Amino acid sequence: MDFVPQAIARYDARGRLVMCNLRYRAVHSRSAPVIEPGRHFEDILRYGLEHGEYAEAVGREEEWAAERLRQRRSGNHICEQLLADGRWLQITEQKTPDGGQVSLCVDITRLKQALARSDREWRATMAAARDGMGIADAMGKVRHVNRAFAEIFGLGSETDCVGQHWRMLYPPEVAAFLETTAIPETRRQGHWEGEVTIWRAQGGRVPLELSLTLRDDGGLLCAARDITSRKRVMMEQALLRDQLQAVQPREIVSRFSSEIGHDLNNLLAVIEASADMMRDGIAVEKNAERILAACRSGKDLVSRLRDQGPKTSERILMDIRPPVYNACELLRVSLGDEISLDLDQPEDPVMIDAAPTDVVQVVLNLGINARDAVWATPPGRERHIEVKVALAGEEELAVQPRIGEIRKDCPYCVIEVHDTGTGMPKAIAKNIFVPSFTTKGANGSGLGLTIVAGVAQNYGGAIALDSVLGGGTTFKFFWPLLQAEFEPVGAA
């Protein structure tokens, strides 16, 4: 037995030492004087207690001894023990057929030191994290939280909730939801994400984004993020969206008047948002230009409405770039800081025979559609819209349009609007130009893309669509560079 690297001892059915190796005496150096055959295990244990053998027992010797003896009487078991010299032992005790017991002690000091280093590094990482991080054991008791977690939940310090059940952190209805829905899902799938609301004594209602991850020991890692600011921004964006997508009049005389009302509401929302910014002293000159551009477009729309019919706007020979730029500036007001917008136009004029308001209608409606798609993307995804004007090349002319026809004898320029939104399933893309079809519920009128399709048909243009589910959408509007001979068709 002395050649075995582990410490081994055998006790008889009465708990008396039968034999042990030198290693057993060495690891229990302070108890070595009484580690001899015939000595009872409890006598050896209490001698070690009197001489400071067991670091964990200092100050609570009787309680510790009772627990150690209980473990031994329970039969086969494994436990860890910290000695006075800083070494850690893993003790495995097994019953023998004659009622005795064999004790095997393995020095796990290096393993414990490595785990301690890893734990310190992990705690340092948690402490530096901006998100709240908390750990609960398999019984639901909180074991550790970082400073950010304590601040989010309104705790005085990181230790205020340690040792208590995690339920104390949440309102009863939220705790019930987590216990009956989120945690079972975490145990099945290994992970859960969602939003909940808590109440702080100082700060009131706080919306949180929670992420639960199942740990190897059966406990839970909780990451919490205060999304108050994000919610506020979303509410502001929703308000602006409601303004831009104004409610369709309850009674409409004709589809044309609905379309005019839709565009007027978009322009009025732009004017209102720009005026609000001017009142706050934000980019006064820039917003004044946006208001003037919106007013010019609105004046033309009102003139058309006064004529009481879907008559063609007054067309002029013009450069398509200025109205495209104006439409992008009107759109930019509604994007906020979360969505970026890039405009790419050629250096040289691109001449078309058209009404400037119709160009603004096309770009603004396609842009609003792109903005709503980008808004629907999950947090963390790129949020970007790109508007591009270019002369159509052979590759563009070869596409199969969804609206209109691309004629080989007619040159075109292409207004391309691309977004990094959610993309569309084929079933939705198939109906996207159908009048009054919308995926936005009460927030949509179904008129935006119908207006765009009507402009394409009135000018003998075409629209191509490329959408990848989860990968964004690209609309290409083909605008004839020269007025061709065709029969105008009413807006669809």
Side-chain angles (χ1 to χ4, degrees):
M1 291 177 63
D2 289 338
F3 295 101
V4 178
Q6 293 83 15
I8 302 176
R10 180 178 179 184
Y11 292 83
D12 63 20
R14 295 183 179 181
R16 296 173 301 186
L17 181 64
V18 176
M19 59 185 302
C20 68
N21 63 357
L22 294 175
R23 181 65 178 161
Y24 189 82
R25 289 188 174 89
V27 297
H28 299 92
S29 59
R30 299 191 183 190
S31 305
V34 294
I35 298 178
E36 54 186 21
R39 287 279 190 168
H40 198 279
F41 174 81
E42 185 173 351
D43 295 336
I44 297 173
L45 182 72
R46 291 192 176 279
Y47 183 91
L49 282 172
E50 293 173 3
H51 292 79
E53 182 85 83
Y54 310 107
E56 296 174 306
V58 175
R60 52 185 289 269
E61 286 80 359
E62 286 303 318
E63 179 185 354
W64 186 90
E67 175 62 19
R68 181 69 183 89
L69 292 172
R70 186 197 63 76
Q71 289 177 340
R72 183 173 177 80
R73 287 193 296 269
S74 68
N76 301 337
H77 76 280
I78 298 175
C79 65
E80 294 181 357
Q81 200 170 84
L82 175 62
L83 301 179
D85 59 5
R87 287 177 300 149
W88 279 91
L89 299 180
Q90 184 184 71
I91 301 175
T92 304
E93 293 179 323
Q94 297 281 339
K95 289 288 188 181
T96 59
D98 61 1
Q101 200 168 48
V102 173
S103 179
L104 175 67
C105 304
V106 179
D107 191 329
I108 58 170
T109 304
R110 291 185 177 179
L111 175 61
K112 296 292 284 188
Q113 290 172 343
L115 290 174
R117 285 194 300 271
S118 177
D119 184 67
R120 286 194 299 270
E121 293 170 357
W122 178 80
R123 286 175 183 268
T125 301
M126 282 190 66
R130 298 178 62 183
D131 288 341
M133 306 291 288
I135 292 177
D137 62 22
M139 301 301 294
K141 290 186 176 181
V142 179
R143 292 306 178 196
H144 179 76
V145 301
N146 66 353
R147 166 55 60 180
F149 191 96
E151 291 176 351
I152 287 173
F153 283 85
L155 304 175
S157 71
E158 295 96 318
T159 60
D160 278 7
C161 62
V162 173
Q164 301 186 60
H165 200 279
W166 60 261
R167 283 192 297 265
M168 59 85 63
L169 296 166
Y170 301 92
E173 65 278 8
V174 176
F177 166 76
L178 294 174
E179 205 158 32
T180 59
T181 303
I183 291 179
E185 179 70 14
T186 304
R187 298 201 181 282
R188 286 192 300 270
Q189 303 294 334
H191 187 71
W192 176 86
E193 289 183 356
E195 294 183 9
V196 301
T197 299
I198 64 171
W199 289 86
R200 284 199 300 242
Q202 302 294 330
R205 181 178 180 274
V206 181
L208 299 182
E209 184 177 76
L210 285 189
S211 172
L212 301 180
T213 302
L214 184 65
R215 288 166 52 88
D216 292 339
D217 60 2
L220 295 173
L221 170 64
C222 174
R225 177 177 295 176
D226 185 338
I227 56 174
T228 302
S229 297
R230 185 198 303 172
K231 287 287 188 180
R232 185 182 301 112
V233 170
M234 290 175 64
M235 290 177 64
E236 292 171 354
Q237 290 176 341
L239 178 61
L240 187 54
R241 182 172 66 248
D242 290 342
Q243 293 172 338
L244 291 172
Q245 299 285 353
V247 177
Q248 182 181 359
R250 293 183 179 181
E251 297 180 359
I252 53 177
V253 177
S254 66
R255 183 179 303 157
F256 173 72
S257 60
S258 296
E259 294 173 359
I260 294 294
H262 177 273
D263 283 336
L264 280 175
N265 279 318
N266 284 345
L267 294 174
L268 288 173
V270 169
I271 292 171
E272 182 179 13
S274 298
D276 285 341
M277 292 182 183
M278 291 177 68
R279 182 182 59 193
D280 295 336
I282 301 174
V284 174
E285 184 175 350
K286 192 66 163 180
N287 281 295
E289 292 176 357
R290 288 169 177 160
I291 290 175
L292 289 172
C295 289
R296 285 192 292 269
S297 296
K299 182 179 179 181
D300 184 68
L301 288 174
V302 171
S303 176
R304 292 168 62 186
L305 181 59
R306 185 181 56 207
D307 292 338
Q308 298 181 353
K311 299 177 182 178
T312 303
S313 304
E314 182 180 351
R315 301 179 183 180
I316 60 174
L317 184 63
M318 67 169 204
D319 181 5
I320 197 173
R321 297 177 303 165
V324 171
Y325 172 82
N326 290 336
C328 288
E329 286 300 297
L330 296 176
L331 175 64
R332 203 181 298 274
V333 176
S334 70
L335 300 184
D337 296 329
E338 290 191 1
I339 303 177
S340 60
L341 170 64
D342 286 341
L343 172 60
D344 182 9
Q345 300 205 88
E347 294 182 0
D348 297 327
V350 179
M351 305 306 294
I352 61 171
D353 182 23
T357 302
D358 289 335
V359 178
V360 171
Q361 279 185 298
V362 169
V363 177
L364 188 58
N365 280 292
L366 290 179
I368 289 173
N369 193 72
R371 179 207 63 190
D372 291 344
V374 173
W375 263 340
T377 59
R381 284 273 301 273
E382 179 187 10
R383 296 188 168 193
H384 181 67
I385 297 173
E386 182 178 7
V387 178
K388 182 179 180 181
V389 176
L391 299 179
E394 292 183 2
E395 183 176 351
E396 286 86 359
L397 295 174
V399 302
Q400 183 65 38
R402 293 289 305 278
I403 298 293
E405 177 186 0
I406 298 176
R407 300 185 299 279
K408 301 299 182 183
D409 59 344
C410 179
Y412 297 88
C413 71
V414 179
I415 302 174
E416 179 178 320
V417 178
H418 171 74
D419 67 69
T420 59
T422 55
M424 292 180 282
K426 291 183 179 179
I428 291 179
K430 180 180 179 181
N431 297 305
I432 200 69
F433 292 104
V434 174
S436 300
F437 178 83
T438 179
T439 61
K440 304 169 189 175
N443 291 324
S445 63
L447 293 175
L449 292 178
T450 303
I451 293 172
V452 175
V455 174
Q457 292 175 329
N458 283 334
Y459 282 84
I463 306 173
L465 168 63
D466 182 23
S467 187
V468 178
L469 190 60
T473 298
T474 301
F475 284 90
K476 292 185 178 181
F477 189 106
F478 291 79
W479 207 299
L481 289 177
L482 299 176
Q483 183 63 40
E485 295 294 329
F486 67 97
E487 182 73 19
V489 181

